[in-house]
């Protein structure tokens, strides 16, 4: 019958597309989970929307495996082009292509970035480098869209000089992210880049320390006056 043929075609297509199979398995597990625990309707809708939006994230996390299959020269050149949009937003990486081993460093960095999903109203933990892939966030009254970067001050070893303001999701959000320890560990295999990061951290830290002292001085003076 026509229905039988359609079912067979669908089954074959699903078999040939492992990502579709994984997504369907995940949704089946989610439905079972929600049904067994008798979750309220609003929560079920939120969970379904989240998993539906996040269905491609595991593919993005596999980008590193794809880069691994390329030659070292290709890895560097492809990574530089593929990540150019957000690289231009990280002030201390803008000229990294001109640094010895810079392209190779970016290729390795691209393979170590992880993708994470957040829902509206969630706050993204501070102390991480974030590259916004999808959605909108607000940070210190500024709206940020796809391609924007924040958290670059994670290069500072002095925690109190880092921004304490977390970004809050306005919509469903997907971000690439990396912590300081992972960044420094990777840079240790690329001396020129490590030197660049440390020099940049010193400049940023010095500037913020001067601002902090000036602010404390003004605050103290105001308290003395009244």
């Amino acid at each position: 019958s026509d229905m039988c043929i359609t079912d067979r075609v669908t089954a074959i297509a699903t078999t040939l597309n492992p990502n579709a199979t994984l997504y369907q398995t995940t949704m089946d597990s989610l439905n079972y989970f929600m049904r067994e625990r008798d979750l309220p309707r609003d929560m079920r809708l939120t969970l379904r929307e989240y998993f539906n939006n996040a269905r491609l994230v595991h593919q993005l996390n596999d980008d590193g495996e794809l880069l691994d299959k390329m030659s070292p020269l290709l890895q560097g050149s492809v990574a530089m082009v593929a990540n150019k949009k957000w690289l231009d937003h990280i002030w201390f990486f803008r000229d990294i292509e001109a640094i010895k081993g810079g392209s190779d460093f970016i290729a390795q960095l691209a393979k170590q970035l992880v993708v994470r999903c957040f829902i509206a109203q969630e706050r993204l933990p501070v102390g991480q480098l974030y590259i916004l892939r999808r959605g909108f966030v607000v940070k210190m009254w500024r709206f940020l869209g796809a391609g924007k970067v924040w958290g670059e001050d994670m290069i500072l070893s002095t925690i109190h000089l880092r921004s304490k303001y977390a970004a809050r999701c306005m919509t469903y959000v997907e971000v690439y992210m990396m912590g300081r320890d992972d960044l420094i560990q990777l840079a240790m295999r690329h001396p020129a880049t490590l030197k660049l990061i440390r020099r940049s951290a010193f400049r940023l830290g010095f500037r913020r320390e001067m601002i902090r002292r000036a602010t404390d001085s003004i605050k103290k003076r105001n308290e003395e006056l009244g």
Side-chain angles (χ1 to χ4, degrees):
S1 65
D2 291 342
M3 183 61 71
C4 184
I5 293 173
T6 301
D7 290 342
R8 288 178 182 175
V9 171
T10 302
I12 292 172
T14 301
T15 302
L16 294 175
N17 186 350
N19 292 320
T21 303
L22 178 60
Y23 171 67
Q24 190 57 56
T25 300
T26 300
M27 295 307 292
D28 289 344
S29 298
L30 175 63
N31 288 328
Y32 176 80
F33 174 88
M34 296 189 298
R35 185 172 61 251
E36 286 297 304
R37 288 157 181 80
D38 195 27
L39 298 185
R41 183 173 181 275
D42 288 349
M43 186 173 288
R44 294 189 188 203
L45 292 174
T46 298
L47 283 168
R48 286 198 183 101
E49 181 181 8
Y50 174 84
F51 278 93
N52 183 55
N53 282 325
R55 65 188 182 278
L56 298 179
V57 166
H58 70 279
Q59 292 176 250
L60 295 171
N61 278 324
D62 288 340
D63 283 354
E65 294 182 12
L66 190 62
L67 281 171
D68 276 334
K69 295 177 181 178
M70 301 179 191
S71 70
L73 181 59
L74 274 176
Q75 286 186 36
S77 56
V78 169
M80 286 299 300
V81 173
N83 298 292
K84 174 122 179 98
K85 287 183 179 179
W86 61 264
L87 276 175
D88 287 342
H89 289 283
I90 301 179
W91 58 275
F92 50 86
F93 280 161
R94 282 176 187 156
D95 298 321
I96 195 167
E97 196 171 7
I99 292 178
K100 183 179 179 181
S103 295
D104 179 54
F105 171 80
I106 293 301
Q108 299 303 315
L109 178 66
K111 288 189 283 188
Q112 288 197 24
L113 287 171
V114 295
V115 186
R116 291 289 181 266
C117 310
F118 298 86
I119 62 173
Q121 304 308 315
E122 275 195 274
R123 292 183 180 276
L124 284 66
V126 296
Q128 302 277 328
L129 172 67
Y130 289 99
I131 304 153
L132 187 56
R133 180 181 180 274
R134 179 181 176 188
F136 292 91
V137 303
V138 62
K139 186 177 189 296
M140 296 182 68
W141 308 105
R142 291 178 57 226
F143 286 91
L144 306 176
K148 295 299 183 182
V149 174
W150 69 94
E152 304 99 312
D153 62 356
M154 49 84 94
I155 62 174
L156 295 173
S157 57
T158 307
I159 296 177
H160 77 266
L161 291 178
R162 298 178 192 167
S163 172
K164 300 176 179 61
Y165 298 99
R168 183 163 57 89
C169 301
M170 304 303 293
T171 63
Y172 166 82
V173 160
E174 290 174 6
V175 293
Y176 293 103
M177 58 190 292
M178 173 174 271
R180 182 179 186 276
D181 290 345
D182 291 331
L183 179 66
I184 298 301
Q185 187 174 4
L186 174 61
M188 287 179 70
R189 302 199 295 271
H190 300 79
T193 300
L194 181 61
K195 184 178 179 180
L196 169 66
I197 293 173
R198 285 177 171 169
R199 187 168 63 243
S200 301
F202 176 80
R203 288 170 53 197
L204 178 61
F206 180 79
R207 186 163 61 247
R208 289 197 175 179
E209 178 64 20
M210 292 300 99
I211 293 173
R212 186 188 69 82
R213 291 185 183 184
T215 302
D216 288 348
S217 177
I218 293 172
K219 187 184 300 182
K220 184 177 179 179
R221 188 180 307 165
N222 289 337
E223 289 174 352
E224 291 174 349
L225 291 174

